[in-house]
Amino acid sequence: MKILSIGSDATAVRTDSALAERLRAYATHVERYDVLVPALTRVHADLAKNSAVYSGAGSTKLLQLYRMYKEAQRLMRMRRYDVVTVQDPYYLGVLAYLVARRFHAGLEVQVHGWERLCGARRLCARFVLRHAHAVRVVSMRIKRQLLGEFSVAEGKITVIPIYTEVRNKEKKERRREHDIPFVFLTVGRLVPVKRIDLQIEAMVEVVKKYPHTELWIAGEGRERRKLEARSKNQGVSDGVKFLGWVNDLEKVYKQADTLVLSSDYEGWGLVVIEAAAQGLPIMMTDVGCAGEVIVNEQSGLVISVGNVRALANAMLRLREDVALRETLAQGARNAIAKLPTRGETLMLYQQSWEMAYRETQGGSKRK
């Protein structure tokens, strides 16, 4: 089987990147696996004997989209892919639909989450999902939304959690020294949907009772200045540390005591899996993998979205209860141990591609 993957992550062109490594793994299960991404300049990088990355180059997003369409047509004529898979159901999804339809290929649409699902983007998503031959999602939460809101046939949907290669470690409680603060850690882009402002507000209550507590924020984004100003205005700037982008997250996980995720929305919540594998107890809003991996009071604390009082209370519980932290950390480790292995994940991908192919080829299969 030959696959053309259309996505937006240009790090695929860096042959030493984590994404490139994943793409090479995908290519081991098919005859050909090529990737098309937007870029400022035209690129072509070989990832393996049967896998390469191409780009649609342009100085604007619209020009990149047009050139991706032209490049996709060129590649289809040259390679005659069996399936086109696309990493979001919006404008790239429309592009993938047009290419798959023109060349009579199967169309697999991936839904990792919803980014600004309104207006034209919602219309694109509804159109693309209606015409998809197979739909791959990362959580049961998204599957339920596709069934209810988008009326996607259940038989088309495959749920495949995002695979993360992590070493499941038991984190021992750090010895509480008078000069070592208790650390709440949050990791992610500093954008409004992450609601890190709520964590800063909750810290006001936490430090009243436990002054020797810090919130570490690992990530960058357009909200950083606002968040720094908020922490200063709330009087907690001494305890709120902005770490910026962190290359070695494992080191930060080892220094932290609890992971906090307060997003209004997540498709899955990859950082939760990573932190749980490092032995951290988890507290998160009811988004993404909450309810599937992180179950309230069993493998973490799950609170309602946007509820700063519930957030502060959960932070206080974890701050003062060592036994609770240990119980939830162990529960989270047990939960992630049940997620599909790398081999199982790749087999599920292949099954989804084969479904998309069969829909256009009358039930036959190709390797």
Side-chain angles (χ1 to χ4, degrees):
M1 184 176 291
K2 299 177 184 178
I3 309 292
L4 175 62
S5 176
I6 297 176
S8 58
D9 192 344
T11 63
V13 304
R14 301 204 319 261
T15 57
D16 62 343
S17 67
L19 176 56
E21 183 179 350
R22 291 200 302 272
L23 297 174
R24 282 190 286 268
Y26 302 162
T28 63
H29 282 249
V30 293
E31 179 182 346
R32 184 85 202 177
Y33 192 96
D34 290 329
V35 181
L36 178 61
V37 296
L40 293 175
T41 58
R42 187 177 178 85
V43 295
H44 170 207
D46 289 322
L47 301 177
K49 289 183 178 180
N50 65 333
S51 180
V53 181
Y54 302 87
S55 71
S59 57
T60 66
K61 289 185 178 181
L62 185 60
L63 184 57
Q64 289 173 354
L65 193 66
Y66 171 74
R67 288 184 174 161
M68 286 179 72
Y69 177 64
K70 301 299 287 186
E71 182 70 356
Q73 292 184 80
R74 184 187 74 82
L75 291 170
M76 290 295 290
R77 293 188 187 99
M78 179 173 66
R79 296 260 162 76
R80 293 291 172 179
Y81 301 98
D82 300 303
V83 173
V84 177
T85 181
V86 63
Q87 294 175 10
D88 75 53
Y90 309 124
Y91 306 117
L92 288 181
V94 173
L95 184 157
Y97 160 76
L98 293 172
V99 171
R101 182 184 180 191
R102 178 167 182 176
F103 292 91
H104 308 288
L107 174 62
E108 181 199 54
V109 177
Q110 304 169 37
V111 183
H112 299 271
W114 303 109
E115 191 81 14
R116 302 189 303 276
L117 183 62
C118 59
R121 292 169 69 87
R122 178 180 288 275
L123 292 175
C124 286
R126 191 173 295 280
F127 174 84
V128 171
L129 289 166
R130 185 169 67 248
H131 289 89
H133 300 114
V135 181
R136 188 203 322 167
V137 302
V138 297
S139 67
M140 287 298 298
R141 185 186 300 269
I142 295 177
K143 178 180 178 178
R144 290 191 294 268
Q145 189 174 5
L146 291 180
L147 293 172
E149 186 175 342
F150 291 90
S151 301
V152 177
E154 186 169 9
K156 289 184 178 182
I157 304 173
T158 304
V159 180
I160 313 175
I162 299 173
Y163 173 73
T164 309
E165 190 167 356
V166 290
R167 289 165 290 179
N168 200 333
K169 299 180 179 180
E170 182 175 358
K171 181 182 176 67
K172 295 182 179 179
E173 274 286 321
R174 291 189 303 161
R175 184 180 175 186
R176 296 258 69 89
E177 305 284 356
H178 73 278
D179 59 339
I180 299 178
F182 185 97
V183 175
F184 288 105
L185 172 66
T186 190
V187 180
R189 294 173 299 140
L190 307 189
V191 293
V193 72
K194 300 297 184 180
R195 294 309 306 270
I196 295 171
D197 59 310
L198 296 182
Q199 297 183 31
I200 294 172
E201 190 172 343
M203 277 291 289
V204 175
E205 299 302 316
V206 174
V207 298
K208 283 180 183 178
K209 190 170 184 181
Y210 299 104
H212 208 42
T213 304
E214 293 182 354
L215 171 64
W216 291 6
I217 302 171
E220 281 289 356
R222 64 180 185 272
E223 290 282 293
R224 176 162 179 166
R225 288 187 178 179
K226 288 183 181 179
L227 294 170
E228 288 174 331
R230 177 179 286 268
S231 67
K232 185 175 181 179
N233 292 337
Q234 296 277 12
V236 293
S237 58
D238 288 345
V240 177
K241 311 297 185 183
F242 290 84
L243 308 183
W245 287 119
V246 176
N247 292 323
D248 186 3
L249 271 176
E250 185 171 336
K251 181 179 179 181
V252 177
Y253 288 137
K254 289 178 180 177
Q255 296 175 291
D257 294 285
T258 296
L259 182 91
V260 183
L261 185 145
S262 54
S263 301
D264 282 346
Y265 182 83
E266 293 281 346
W268 179 240
L270 189 59
V271 66
V272 169
I273 308 302
E274 293 174 344
Q278 293 293 330
L280 283 176
I282 308 296
M283 61 161 298
M284 66 182 297
T285 42
D286 190 9
V287 297
C289 62
E292 295 176 50
V293 177
I294 303 302
V295 177
N296 191 38
E297 302 289 347
Q298 296 179 28
S299 49
L301 296 183
V302 179
I303 64 171
S304 56
V305 169
N307 189 334
V308 69
R309 171 52 56 189
L311 179 62
N313 288 341
M315 291 172 75
L316 285 167
R317 283 186 65 193
L318 286 169
R319 174 65 175 87
E320 60 197 14
D321 193 336
V322 175
L324 177 63
R325 293 199 299 271
E326 293 177 343
T327 298
L328 297 181
Q330 182 61 55
R333 286 195 300 273
N334 294 341
I336 65 171
K338 298 175 184 178
L339 293 173
T341 64
R342 179 174 181 169
E344 291 167 344
T345 300
L346 291 174
M347 289 303 297
L348 289 169
Y349 285 172
Q350 187 172 6
Q351 290 172 18
S352 183
W353 297 331
E354 289 179 349
M355 181 194 305
Y357 178 70
R358 286 196 303 270
E359 288 294 313
T360 61
Q361 301 298 323
S364 63
K365 289 186 181 181
R366 255 194 258 174
K367 294 290 184 182

